[in-house]
Amino acid sequence: MLTSQVCLPLVLAVLLQVWQILSGTEIVAGFVKLEDREKQLIETERLVLNEAVEVIKKAAPLMEEVSLLNDAVSQIDEPFLLVIVGEFNSGKSTVINALLGERYLKEGVVPTTNEITFLRYNDLDIEQQRCERHPDGQYICYLPAPILKEMTIVDTPGTNVILQRQQRLTEEFVPRADLLLFVISADRPLTGSEIAFLRYSQQWKKKAVFVLNKADIYQNNQELEEAMSFIKDNIQRLLNTENVILYPVSARAALESKLIATSNVGKLNEELSTSDSHYGANSFFELENFLYSFLDGSTIPGMDRMRLKLETPVSIADRLISACETLVTQDYRYAKQDLAAVKDIVNSVNDFALNMETESLFWRRQAVSLIETTKSRIVELAETNLQLANFDIIASYAFKGEKNAMPSTSKIQNDIIGPAVSAVQKILQEYEDWLYSKYTLQGRLYKESFEKRWPSLRHESNQTNFETNQLQKKVDQAGSQVIANFSSSAVSKAFEQEVREMIIGTFGQLGVAGLSASLLTSVLQTTLEDLLALGICSAGGYLAISTFPGRRQRVIDKVKRKADNLAYELEEAMKKDLTEAIESLNTFVKVLSEPYHDEAQNRLNNLVQIQEELSNVEKKLRTLQIDIQNLRVS
């Protein structure tokens, strides 16, 4: 007869199935005796998780881990997922075979142990069992093992496999597990790869049950206790937990026991009859009983199992939401920086304007200085020529009419004003070229700054045609227009007219003869008789001469005023050119910045909305976690 320990798992499985059939109890997500409250919780969880998936896709479109959450959501109604992990050659396949009660994991049944392999239930004869390879590299094997009715077992590659892809497959599948069964080999407990894998699994907060396989290699219980103590202490430290479930087993002995039981062999062979083998087999049955207790949702372990099942996708969602919040916060900061950068570039036109204003003073001072010099020369000429000693000659031109120009007029036009106008025109041309060059170059620099910082927005539809843009057009050239409107001949003639009017106004009543007499009277040493002889003329001459200095000063003052007005108009015109250039540049930069500003602002608004959605989902996940923890056996 077989021992009760050997038969117990089989009996439990059969009784459970019979009870389910007879009672007609509905099974949802692998649980029995599920109340309406629990059903509603599952539906609520599904809705919240689907909402989380959508928000995660918005927040991090490139996040590949969202597939983990999608899978977890789709598996809420599926059997409990037990994932077997451990080093290559730690005995994972033997442990699985022992759980299944047959040597299913053998050559020809499972194509490779270097892939993720799902073991699912199907009521087929052992000869009809099949495995299917999916495009993602995973295998699904359909087996008639009773335990698979309530539990899908997943075999994973070893944690110490050489190929990085295999290691990645194992690590990516851990988050989907409802429970990890971590197989440790007694001949090499807690290797480096196992420790690294435990640290990885900790970030997903997975519940793990540890199996110390090949425990029958220890000589006595003391060695076994020392090994278990070593493993527990290290796991407690690594996972920062006090509750470590560790089963020392001999999967090989347990499998042999089951095979003998199913083959109706009356007694165990000699190897399995040793105490150590009995110990290893019996300990495995304790592990199996622990797992079977998860199958009944009406029990406390079964309710724990339900919590684990429901917490798995919530845990994945929680972690991904947290990662998304980090990404969104970072993107929000970048978007604000981009928006500030756009504003800084636009506002930097003001700094450019100040620098241009400072530099433009050089050109304005040159132009004004030339006008000032020209004014001084004309005033000096006027003061030199408009003297009484020269008035015989000047007056003769004044009384002869406008057809006869005075020599000073020709000198003013040809020797003073003409060259000065040419010099000012040259300065203005250089000024306008400098102005045009500076602000167009600055415009290009702004354009390049935008495109370099945000290359993704640089496409044909957003290109500003720099050649046809208003920025490329020269300003109105108000300064040149002032000089163009200035005529040296007109100014010379105006000056001549002023002199004529001055002379005629001073001596018009005397005529040329009277003017000569008056000049003689004023400049020659005369006797009283001479003055009496020239009495009539001298009386008028003295009167005229006495008003001449004032009239001459008024002519000179007019010359100064006209020169000063010209200097003022020219400087204001040059300022206007500068202002227009700055306004043109400012308009150009604002237009240029619009797509970049709008992009940054829209991104910022979108991120704010996503942050709110993430926060709302996170609150729902917190509530869901509380509801899951509050599940009680009714």
Side-chain angles (χ1 to χ4, degrees), residues 255-309:
L255 177 59
E256 293 295 337
S257 296
K258 286 190 176 185
L259 292 175
I260 291 172
T262 56
S263 63
N264 293 320
V265 176
K267 58 180 180 178
L268 301 178
N269 61 29
E270 183 178 354
E271 180 182 355
L272 292 176
S273 63
T274 63
S275 59
D276 286 343
S277 295
H278 275 299
Y279 182 86
N282 292 340
S283 296
F284 187 88
F285 300 145
E286 292 177 9
L287 166 65
E288 197 169 25
N289 291 337
F290 171 79
L291 295 177
Y292 267 103
S293 68
F294 272 40
L295 301 180
D296 186 357
S298 64
T299 65
I300 292 177
M303 191 55 67
D304 288 339
R305 175 194 176 202
M306 183 174 186
R307 292 193 190 97
L308 288 175
K309 181 70 178 177

Side-chain angles (χ1 to χ4, degrees), residues 142 159 202 216 246 253 270 349 353 582 600 609 633:
Y142 297 93
T159 60
Q202 176 63 13
D216 51 353
L246 176 62
E270 183 178 354
V349 176
I582 297 301
Q609 181 180 346
V633 176

